[in-house]
Amino acid sequence: MTAEHTAEWVERAIAQAEPGSAHPSRELQVLERIERARRRKPKVREELITLAHGAGGKATRTLVEAVFLEAFRNPVLESLDDGAALDVNGSRMVFTTDSFVVSPLFFPGGDIGDLAVNGTVNDLAVCGARPLYLSAAFILEEGFPVADLRRITDSMAAAAARAGVHVVTGDTKVVQRGKGDGCYVTTAGVGVLDRKITLGPSTVRPGDAVIVSGPIGEHGITIMIARGELDIAADVTSDTASIHDLVATLLDTAPVRMLRDATRGGVATVLNEIAEAAQLAIMVDEPAIPIRPVVNGACELLGLDPLYVACEGRFVAVVDGAHAEAAVDALRRHPLGEAAAIVGTVEADPAGLVLLKTVFGGTRIVDVLVGDPLPRIC
Amino acid sequence: MTAEHTAEWVERAIAQAEPGSAHPSRELQVLERIERARRRKPKVREELITLAHGAGGKATRTLVEAVFLEAFRNPVLESLDDGAALDVNGSRMVFTTDSFVVSPLFFPGGDIGDLAVNGTVNDLAVCGARPLYLSAAFILEEGFPVADLRRITDSMAAAAARAGVHVVTGDTKVVQRGKGDGCYVTTAGVGVLDRKITLGPSTVRPGDAVIVSGPIGEHGITIMIARGELDIAADVTSDTASIHDLVATLLDTAPVRMLRDATRGGVATVLNEIAEAAQLAIMVDEPAIPIRPVVNGACELLGLDPLYVACEGRFVAVVDGAHAEAAVDALRRHPLGEAAAIVGTVEADPAGLVLLKTVFGGTRIVDVLVGDPLPRIC
């Protein structure tokens, strides 16, 4: 629902309320609160960009809303989806982009190359599109080994072949030593919307189920360990993968309300975005969250909550509750979805919040990510 | 013409040649030479990336062919056009991308923001497409002033509005201090091919005219001076502008064979790309080249050849010779084309070369750019 729709809804609700009523209905109060929040212009308090602005959490969100949305305001961008759904000469397509600045460039399970291909393919997939074409723009630092560049492009080509997409256009820029970090890659992607479905927060309903497609946090922990700054070793590899085929399996099986890939900010950030946009609550069942013991252990050592650690080959889906079991069964038969699980449900209240029922029987609020525990993980 | 087509052509020509002939026809010799060159795999001799690899000249071309084409090989990419012409659900569209790393970020006549919008709009335009949508991905350096980012996004928004395009999707990453240079922007663009025309080197014919749409070298010289490293001042501003409307004017007026915007490597590099791809000669008339005295003077002081200095709002067009005068007349009535001029003609020989008839009556070869006289001009 766009801000405009909400405004109309509020006005209608106000018109329908009893005149002179001292106690407007609770629903009305909630709506007014939403509308006030929407009218309140977000402000970037910092004068200088910090690493948190790139972490995908609260600071990123504020920067995007206060700077980018303010400047480029248009209905497609305002949906703040993983990609933009467009109409080109009568064809419905999706267009998306991501820059990749991961450090190190090479890590167990992948490198910046396949990450850049998979990340853009996945952004198209979670918008319900069939990925078709990618662009690839490179910002290279003077002195970067050509052999490393070749390794990256080979890995991109392999990832593109696996995903069935073609890299059709590109660009190369070189910056002086000390003005980059070896290699940054920006991919953009174009896909088509073959399916006649509407995905988005306005379709989410109480009673819907929340599914996570596989074990969480593996990419983020892999990168942390690969940096070699920590005195821990763990047998964990990045989950980087193109999930468009797994997404197609889900869309073939169940009525899907909304999809997001859980990258920067992890599953917790995605859940918060969904709860806030839908103005519904998400109750998460902690023991149900798929997570490998090695990732759990590493998170404990590092003092990290795995819910905030990035994945690069997992999605969060909200599906019709009545079809959730069948959906998970279907996902589990796919090599990338073997550990898929229903991790929570959508409820009416408290609107906009994500609550976690912990292993110990308690309940706590899962807030959006503040700060940046893991800079440059993608 | 693709390498495969040429191979067929050569084989046919060989089959038709008189058996046992000791003197194969000149045409056949030329074709064999082209084919040998095409079969010869380009090699990057350097082990490390240099600034020249990003300059848009010989080193960039070798890197693109030896690394990117090798990895991503597909017919669309192999055309090495400014954008990729694609078929999406029956719609003909063009998809393109460029990273912008210009230094300084702000300069007389523009900044990295409008440069990034105009650059991608122009890449779509010279492919014959009507620009529609842009993506914008930012790589920000920790400590970059938010106010500067706002200046850049405002400038992008204004450029997008002027060009009639929308920024519909984006991304933000932040890198640590010393791993970037304030702000890098990567834009990708999508446009539609409304016109039923074929542009490209295979359509270029001897007798065609070469048009330049306006005074050359202004962007590059502006950036050089804005860096403040030189002890010269000159009243010159960047020519950064969206040229899609000027391109439309040209396409409405004359049969156009091929279009390129003259950015990195300048007009000389574009002419060489056309001559080489078409395997025809381009004879350039030096006195006809539109260039402001201030740019000429600055180039003389700096020891630069203005033919290699980047423009950001000029195109080079090859048009049917019989319609060239009318085309230039039409361009000159457009505010961005007031100094448009016919600067040369296409001839059959010497195939693949650009020759300049100098002011002094001599003739010299205009080769492709080697090295990088102007790093990070876009």
Side-chain angles (χ1 to χ4, degrees), chain B residues 298-374:
Chain B
C299 281
E300 263 173 42
L301 278 170
L302 298 168
L304 292 173
D305 182 339
L307 274 175
Y308 294 92
V309 180
C311 317
E312 289 292 338
R314 310 294 178 216
F315 63 73
V316 173
V318 181
V319 305
D320 185 329
H323 295 77
E325 290 289 350
V328 165
D329 285 348
L331 291 175
R332 285 186 176 166
R333 284 191 293 271
H334 191 287
L336 289 174
E338 285 167 2
I342 300 171
V343 302
T345 52
V346 176
E347 300 187 7
D349 295 302
L353 289 188
V354 179
L355 296 176
L356 186 77
K357 282 181 279 184
T358 68
V359 183
F360 311 105
T363 299
R364 67 171 174 89
I365 290 178
V366 179
D367 208 346
V368 291
L369 179 70
V370 178
D372 191 359
L374 297 165

Side-chain angles (χ1 to χ4, degrees), chain A residues 242-261:
Chain A
S242 282
I243 53 172
H244 64 294
D245 193 52
L246 189 64
V247 167
T249 299
L250 180 68
L251 294 172
D252 287 342
T253 314
V256 178
R257 316 297 196 198
M258 190 166 175
L259 283 161
R260 281 280 164 103
D261 56 336

